[in-house]
Amino acid sequence: MLRMYILLGFTFLFFHLYITGEISKYINMRYSYLSFSAIFVFALLTIIQFIFVSRKQEHDHCDDDACCHHHHEEQSRWKRAVNYMIFIFPIVSALLFPVATLDSEMVKAKGFHIPGMAADSGDPFVQRQFLRPDTSIYYGKDDYNDLMQKELKKYGKVSRLKLDPQNYLNVMETIYQFPGQFDERDIEFDGFVYHDETTKANQVFVLRFGIIHCVADSGVYGLLTEFPQQPRLKNDEWIHVKGTLSTVYYQPFHMNIPYVKVTSWQRISEPKEPYVFRQYNQ
């Protein structure tokens, strides 16, 4: 009977995440159809388990001498309890604990560097999740080069790069892959402010958290911005930035990186959907 309630719990959990839209905090919405399908799969399994339990109860009437000997072969109670807790915990935690939106505190906690470019870089699976989107691990070398050439062809001739939730990660990855191709190009985008201890007084990083496939490969992506004067901005304030792209040798990273020379900016409210997702079908 407990198995039926666990399956019912997963059915309700996926239904809850889908209806509230909180599923976007866990996966790229490109795969939302999978979570939607899971509602019906778990509902079907719940019904099957209910039928199985009902039939089993009908056949479990036996006397002390003739049956119930099969109980000697069952797992001990504590082992079964542990097995059930493994499935119960994600249901309870997802429903009772609030979904936290990632912010600058997460950036500060994990450290900040260009993926694969820091002096101590040795594991691209760990260090790719900062500043520069990197989908190369999902492709062969030639396929990735072909993908990026298509992205360059798409965005390389645009006079003004206007980033939105649909193209944010695609454009960012292209800019970092071909920084020199976008010098003196106008750009505008939204993001939250992050002051790093390595930046100058008139510099801040403007970032957004993005999901490539699921929350396991989520990261913080964006650009260094340089203002004409020191901006009075706090971490996690959202702003809309307009400016011109260029490249600069950034001493903390020991490399040239793209950055934005800000021409105008304004404070904005945090978007209803603060995350951005990698698009593959453009």
Side-chain angles (χ1 to χ4, degrees), residues 11 31 60 80 86 140 142 146-147 201 225 248 255 275-276 281:
T11 304
Y31 307 112
D60 275 353
R80 284 190 296 171
I86 291 174
D142 292 338
D146 290 342
L147 173 67
T225 60
V248 63
M255 63 173 295
Y275 293 0
V276 289
N281 54 356

Side-chain angles (χ1 to χ4, degrees), residues 28-30 151 154-155 162-174 189-190 208-209 211 273-282:
N28 189 327
M29 291 307 292
R30 177 177 179 237
E151 299 284 19
K154 181 175 182 178
Y155 299 113
K162 188 173 182 179
L163 278 60
D164 56 40
Q166 284 68 46
N167 66 15
Y168 187 95
L169 291 182
N170 298 61
V171 176
M172 282 294 175
E173 186 168 9
T174 308
F189 63 103
D190 300 336
R208 292 193 74 161
F209 274 94
I211 295 178
E273 176 52 77
Y275 293 0
V276 289
F277 306 94
R278 185 62 160 90
Q279 306 296 319
Y280 297 94
N281 54 356
Q282 294 185 346

Side-chain angles (χ1 to χ4, degrees), residues 88 139 242:
I88 294 173
Y139 299 89
K242 293 182 180 181

